[in-house]
Amino acid sequence: MPATEAGPLGLLGGTFDPIHLGHLRLAEEAREALGLARVRLTPAGRPPHRDTPHCSSAHRLAMVRLAAAGNPAFEVDDSEIRAATPSYTVPTLERLRAELGLARPLVLILGADAFQGLPDWHRWEEIFTLAHVAVANRPGHAPHGRRWPGVLSPALDAACAGRIASDPASITGTPAGLVVPFDMTPLDISASLIRDLLAHGASARYLLPDSVLDYIGLHHLYRRN
């Protein structure tokens, strides 16, 4: 459902193949740390930088809806699933701007690794004109000034100059353009781990919501043929 609040809207995209507790915890901690009104989960239909997903877009969307159902601050955006084009972030942000207007703060939520790879994204520099970028870091590894964990490319380092906000509340005063670090509880969970466990008949319980695990079992997903 579309968001109606005037507060900042967080955006978390991904293949979600399948969605798991690491994704949900990232969304929840970003919501709390950054004062987001809601977080919109957007499963990719045709991810351009990854291999073809193991599950169909319909199954991945259904699992995201099940995972989001228990949190009133989460909503699901199926626009990239419905689109016939590759799932690039900038067109999604442009569509949200057309939907929500130019004044509402939009916050793209990324892990540190994804952030460091931003220059490989399609039209990546335009992201800063459309949204803030929130970067999740492990506790104790948050950047100070322009010092980030790992090494940024010269292009990304230059793009971040003058954008890093030390106070998360600053995103409420402008619709886009800031880079905001926040701490996240480290959870060593990945979709590839879950797929591997399920393919070998091992338990994946407590790595993803029970509703999603039940759906996977009902539809015999991720099993070896």
Side-chain angles (χ1 to χ4, degrees):
M1 66 183 245
T4 56
E5 295 90 347
L9 175 65
L11 311 167
L12 179 62
T15 308
F16 300 134
D17 191 23
I19 191 167
H20 54 69
L21 295 183
H23 297 129
L24 298 173
R25 190 61 194 171
L26 172 58
E28 179 71 358
E29 293 196 17
R31 182 196 63 77
E32 188 169 60
L34 305 174
L36 306 176
R38 295 177 73 84
V39 176
R40 186 173 288 196
L41 305 173
T42 307
R46 293 172 53 193
H49 299 298
R50 292 177 176 266
D51 295 334
T52 301
H54 290 73
C55 274
S56 70
S57 58
H59 280 315
R60 291 185 292 106
L61 176 61
M63 289 188 283
V64 171
R65 284 177 168 156
L66 287 169
N71 191 327
F74 291 172
E75 57 191 38
V76 180
D77 184 342
D78 66 356
S79 63
E80 292 188 3
I81 293 287
R82 290 185 286 103
T85 56
S87 300
Y88 292 115
T89 298
V90 167
T92 295
L93 292 174
E94 289 174 332
R95 180 188 53 76
L96 286 173
R97 278 287 167 222
E99 173 192 339
L100 302 172
L102 300 178
R104 184 169 185 179
L106 300 180
V107 184
L108 180 65
I109 302 167
L110 299 176
D113 290 345
F115 176 69
Q116 289 171 9
L118 204 60
D120 294 330
W121 292 24
H122 179 63
R123 297 168 58 192
W124 70 276
E125 291 173 303
E126 297 177 49
I127 289 173
F128 298 108
T129 69
L130 295 163
H132 302 299
V133 178
V135 185
N137 291 287
R138 296 185 304 277
H141 292 267
H144 299 282
R146 294 178 63 193
R147 300 181 64 84
W148 296 84
V151 178
L152 299 187
S153 69
L156 184 55
D157 191 51
C160 289
R163 296 188 184 277
I164 298 174
S166 58
D167 181 6
S170 59
I171 66 172
T172 62
T174 181
L178 297 178
V179 178
V180 189
F182 69 99
D183 284 351
M184 178 188 170
T185 304
L187 296 176
D188 191 15
I189 303 173
S190 69
S192 60
L193 167 65
I194 292 169
R195 293 194 302 267
D196 187 62
L197 290 171
L198 295 171
H200 289 85
S203 173
R205 194 166 296 281
Y206 310 121
L207 298 176
L208 66 174
D210 286 345
S211 58
V212 175
L213 188 59
D214 290 344
Y215 182 94
I216 289 171
L218 178 64
H219 294 277
H220 310 291
L221 305 180
Y222 305 115
R223 290 185 179 180
R224 283 184 170 175
N225 294 329

